Amino acid sequence: MTLKEIFLVSRPRFWMYVLGTFLVGVIASGNLFLYDATTTLLLIAFGLFFTLPANVFIYGINDIYDYQTDIHNDKKIKYESVLKQDKHRSLWLIIVLLLLPFLPLFFMVNLPAKLALLLFLFTGLFYSARPIRAKSKPPLDVLFSAVIYVTPALVGFFITGNTNIEWLAVLGGLIWAFGMQTYSAIPDIEADKKAGVNTLAIMLGEQKSFWFCLLAYVISASIGFYYVGFIAIVFGSVYSAMVLLSIYNSSKLFKYYTYFPLINVITGAVLFFYLFFKAIG
């Protein structure tokens, strides 16, 4: 595989889904600027891990096991790319080579960070891979996907040395990710049906899936309001508006979907800087 192919497999527009949550977890710990040299180096190293290596791990395994789905999926063919079967073995080797340099770091972090990292790796692997293949077993598809995107925040939080986590906030993040996963799966309904892959979006149907997403965003925004105030309502309004537009103009669903990563990055950046200025203020 070429470097360009490896980079494309990593879905660079999605990097912030794990890197961003890692950084939010670091800032949310409240231990800003109180790190010793070892903790600082660990945070930098794991920040690097949640760029190319972690994303090739997540999406590379997904490409390998989703091949039979992807060849039927217009979104994958036109918007992304289908990884040819003769590249699958090489990709497995690349995934291992990208992860190996970070293996020693696992033994340098505290137990909560170890557990969060193991949970990230477990769900990242078995969301797509057999024998679990959670993405075809609703509601495990939304649960595993949500855990993949929330656990980097736990890793960042725990590495700082703060283990006094607000689990209600974690629940809010998981519920938000339920909505994200389901909304992303709606454009894949027909391709997944052709490949015999079951998802929560298929189980609910398009319209009920939209309403599930709307409910998830309202609940997560309500939880977020308890912690960050008004900006959580702004976030909830943005995501709710996107879902409502999709409900009432479903012919433009794919167009709205292409805006989804940008919306996620903007809201994540706003949350990060809100927590940052709160920490230094």
Side-chain angles (χ1 to χ4, degrees):
M1 293 182 67
T2 65
L3 289 175
K4 181 180 178 181
E5 287 174 322
I6 296 168
F7 185 68
L8 291 176
V9 164
S10 75
R11 317 279 208 281
R13 67 182 178 281
F14 294 157
W15 279 19
M16 291 307 293
Y17 287 6
V18 290
L19 177 60
T21 52
F22 170 77
L23 295 174
V24 166
V26 172
I27 294 297
S29 72
N31 286 356
L32 199 60
F33 307 130
L34 300 177
Y35 315 130
D36 58 26
T38 300
T39 301
T40 301
L41 289 173
L42 284 171
L43 290 172
I44 292 171
F46 275 99
L48 292 172
F49 170 75
F50 285 116
T51 58
L52 184 73
N55 285 282
V56 170
F57 169 71
I58 297 168
Y59 300 115
I61 292 172
N62 182 258
D63 280 352
I64 290 168
Y65 283 93
D66 273 13
Y67 177 76
Q68 295 301 327
T69 303
D70 291 343
I71 57 177
H72 299 294
N73 193 340
D74 285 341
K75 183 187 83 173
K76 187 71 178 179
I77 294 169
K78 296 176 182 178
Y79 185 54
E80 297 174 354
S81 60
V82 178
L83 185 71
K84 295 180 180 179
Q85 282 185 303
D86 61 1
K87 302 289 182 72
H88 290 186
R89 181 174 293 181
S90 297
L91 182 55
W92 273 119
L93 178 60
I94 290 163
I95 290 170
V96 171
L97 291 176
L98 284 172
L99 294 184
L100 273 178
F102 295 92
L103 182 61
L105 300 179
F106 176 81
F107 301 99
M108 299 174 65
V109 297
N110 57 29
L111 180 60
K114 281 186 175 72
L115 294 175
L117 188 59
L118 283 173
L119 193 55
F120 169 78
L121 294 171
F122 178 84
T123 51
L125 173 63
F126 289 112
Y127 172 77
S128 300
R130 298 180 180 86
I132 298 177
R133 192 154 166 75
K135 74 162 293 175
S136 65
K137 296 179 176 66
L140 289 182
D141 57 339
V142 294
L143 178 60
F144 271 54
S145 178
V147 171
I148 290 169
Y149 295 120
V150 171
T151 45
L154 300 182
V155 173
F157 188 96
F158 291 139
I159 287 175
T160 68
N162 188 350
T163 57
N164 186 27
I165 199 160
E166 291 280 352
W167 290 107
L168 179 61
V170 175
L171 178 62
L174 289 169
I175 294 173
W176 170 82
F178 292 167
M180 184 180 80
Q181 157 66 13
T182 305
Y183 186 82
S184 299
I186 294 172
D188 297 337
I189 285 177
E190 293 306 317
D192 286 339
K193 282 181 178 179
K194 289 178 182 177
V197 175
N198 194 20
T199 65
L200 185 68
I202 290 175
M203 189 173 74
L204 293 177
E206 183 176 291
Q207 289 301 307
K208 288 182 180 178
S209 294
F210 283 134
W211 290 108
F212 174 82
C213 295
L214 185 63
L215 180 62
Y217 288 133
V218 169
I219 293 173
S220 61
S222 300
I223 294 173
F225 179 76
Y226 177 76
Y227 291 101
V228 297
F230 182 70
I231 64 167
I233 303 303
V234 175
F235 293 165
S237 299
V238 170
Y239 285 106
S240 296
M242 181 187 65
V243 175
L244 289 171
L245 283 171
S246 301
I247 291 173
Y248 294 110
N249 198 358
S250 59
S251 62
K252 292 187 177 180
L253 172 59
F254 181 74
K255 181 179 179 180
Y256 298 141
Y257 170 79
T258 61
Y259 298 148
F260 200 34
L262 179 61
I263 294 171
N264 287 332
V265 169
I266 291 173
T267 55
V270 171
L271 178 59
F272 173 85
F273 284 109
Y274 171 85
L275 294 173
F276 176 81
F277 288 117
K278 185 178 179 180
I280 65 175

